[in-house]
Amino acid sequence: MARDVVREARNVEPMPAGCVFCDIVAGRVAAIEVLRDDVAVAFLDKSPLFPGHTLVVPTRHVETLADLEPDEIGPYFARVRAVAAAMPDALNAGGTFVANNNVVSQSVPHLHVHVVPRTRGDGLRGFFWPRRRYTDGEADRYAERLRRALSDRV
């Protein structure tokens, strides 16, 4: 996929203080990244539903999907799509669950889309999702698998 160009003015907008996702985009906070370009950064959720659960955030700070400019939507969701398309093969998943929360239950007020690997019988039911922590080194292994799969797609 060709890299989409984001207008230069968007890249120089100040990032709000205290936004952890802006800090990840700026490199001030560490995250286990699987994709980074001028449009979005994708990184493993620190409390995943299942190993490989990835968050995709736009590099420009916006709080909700409605705050994206019309010309940003396609490039941003191309990255979401790339992660979702790579995940089944990379993680031996049957498919993916893709979700976006706006405001209600949005733990970080910065647009982010969850891409979660799914398998039959994984226990994900309704909105009461089991969370877990990665074991030592596990997050790095999952991220590397996703990076390899994404390198051909973005």
Side-chain angles (χ1 to χ4, degrees), residues 123-142:
L124 189 62
R125 298 190 196 302
F127 292 100
F128 301 102
W129 301 331
R131 294 284 186 139
R132 61 182 291 281
R133 296 261 182 219
Y134 286 103
T135 60
D136 286 340
E138 184 181 31
D140 292 320
R141 290 190 301 274
Y142 276 88

Side-chain angles (χ1 to χ4, degrees), residues 55-129:
L55 302 178
V56 183
V57 304
T59 57
R60 184 173 78 86
H61 180 82
V62 296
E63 290 189 15
T64 69
L65 182 58
D67 296 326
L68 277 180
E69 295 294 329
D71 64 330
E72 293 175 303
I73 296 168
Y76 174 64
F77 275 96
R79 275 56 178 188
V80 172
R81 180 193 173 282
V83 172
M87 196 169 278
D89 286 341
L91 305 181
N92 298 318
T96 60
F97 173 73
V98 178
N100 166 245
N101 246 344
N102 277 323
V103 183
V104 176
S105 296
Q106 187 178 10
S107 58
V108 177
H110 184 126
L111 174 63
H112 55 286
V113 171
H114 296 257
V115 183
V116 181
R118 296 294 314 275
T119 57
R120 290 202 188 282
D122 61 17
L124 189 62
R125 298 190 196 302
F127 292 100
F128 301 102
W129 301 331

